[in-house]
Amino acid sequence: MMKQNSKKSGTKTALTILMLVIAAAVILTAGCTGTTSQPITQTPTPAATPEVQPTATEAAQVTAEATQTPATNGPIYAAGMIVTNGKGTLKVIGEYNPKTERYCTRTLMQDRDGNAYLLKDGSFKELGSDYDAYKSFEQLYNTVYDDLSAHTDAAEEVYNVNEKSGQRIPVYATNDRINLVGYLIPSDALTMDYLNAKTE
């Protein structure tokens, strides 16, 4: 009887050990039972699309549109620009005063060859004595004919209306154009400069 007890006891011990092994296996695999085993794949990141650069023509068109689009606030012309009313009259913007919001302008004259000139009017720096509110002036003179500041390659030359070249506008004492008193030249967006002919 003692042999049977020891046999039962050995079987019980073996069963207990087997149960512990099974329990341990169940516990270790319990976290994995809810998932299926699939290979891990990395989601490919989309390739960066190369930035399309505008062609030279497209870039020039965008620039032209930006310069032709009037600003919503403030003046659209700068000192040194020549503007027209479409009826043959050309005016040069001598100055823009941001405090008064007015342009100071002069009517541009020209000889038979198209060389521009002005007559002395005694105004400050010969910039002119016609002061116009920028909004009403821009409505009357709504086209830019030329911009003197763009002709830096011909800075020492007299401005020619026909050729659109040169930067200097001579100022004469009288209409016979014998006595040169000075020149108007571009300076910055707010004013042109006056060079006295005697100090040149």
Side-chain angles (χ1 to χ4, degrees), residues 74-97:
I76 59 174
Y77 301 145
M81 285 184 169
I82 297 171
V83 295
T84 181
N85 61 359
K87 298 175 183 175
T89 304
L90 295 175
K91 294 237 181 198
V92 62
I93 310 286
E95 179 181 45
Y96 173 71
N97 186 329

Side-chain angles (χ1 to χ4, degrees), residues 80-157:
M81 285 184 169
I82 297 171
V83 295
T84 181
N85 61 359
K87 298 175 183 175
T89 304
L90 295 175
K91 294 237 181 198
V92 62
I93 310 286
E95 179 181 45
Y96 173 71
N97 186 329
K99 289 181 182 175
T100 62
E101 296 186 335
R102 292 181 179 273
Y103 290 119
C104 177
T105 62
R106 300 276 315 258
T107 300
L108 199 60
M109 303 167 85
Q110 58 183 307
D111 64 17
R112 287 184 216 167
D113 298 324
N115 294 315
Y117 67 93
L118 298 169
L119 296 178
K120 181 178 171 71
D121 70 353
S123 62
F124 176 70
K125 290 174 37 173
E126 295 299 324
L127 294 174
S129 52
D130 293 340
Y131 289 93
D132 298 296
Y134 76 88
K135 288 182 182 179
S136 59
F137 181 82
E138 289 168 1
Q139 288 174 351
L140 291 172
Y141 291 86
N142 55 8
T143 305
V144 175
Y145 180 79
D146 203 1
D147 186 352
L148 295 175
S149 61
H151 303 296
T152 54
D153 57 332
E156 299 296 317
E157 296 176 22

Side-chain angles (χ1 to χ4, degrees), residues 29-83:
T29 59
C32 298
T33 58
T35 62
T36 57
S37 159
Q38 291 183 359
I40 298 173
T41 57
Q42 186 175 9
T43 306
T45 55
T49 55
E51 188 174 321
V52 178
Q53 297 295 326
T55 65
T57 306
E58 291 170 335
Q61 184 179 3
V62 169
T63 304
E65 287 171 2
T67 56
Q68 291 173 358
T69 304
T72 54
N73 294 321
I76 59 174
Y77 301 145
M81 285 184 169
I82 297 171
V83 295

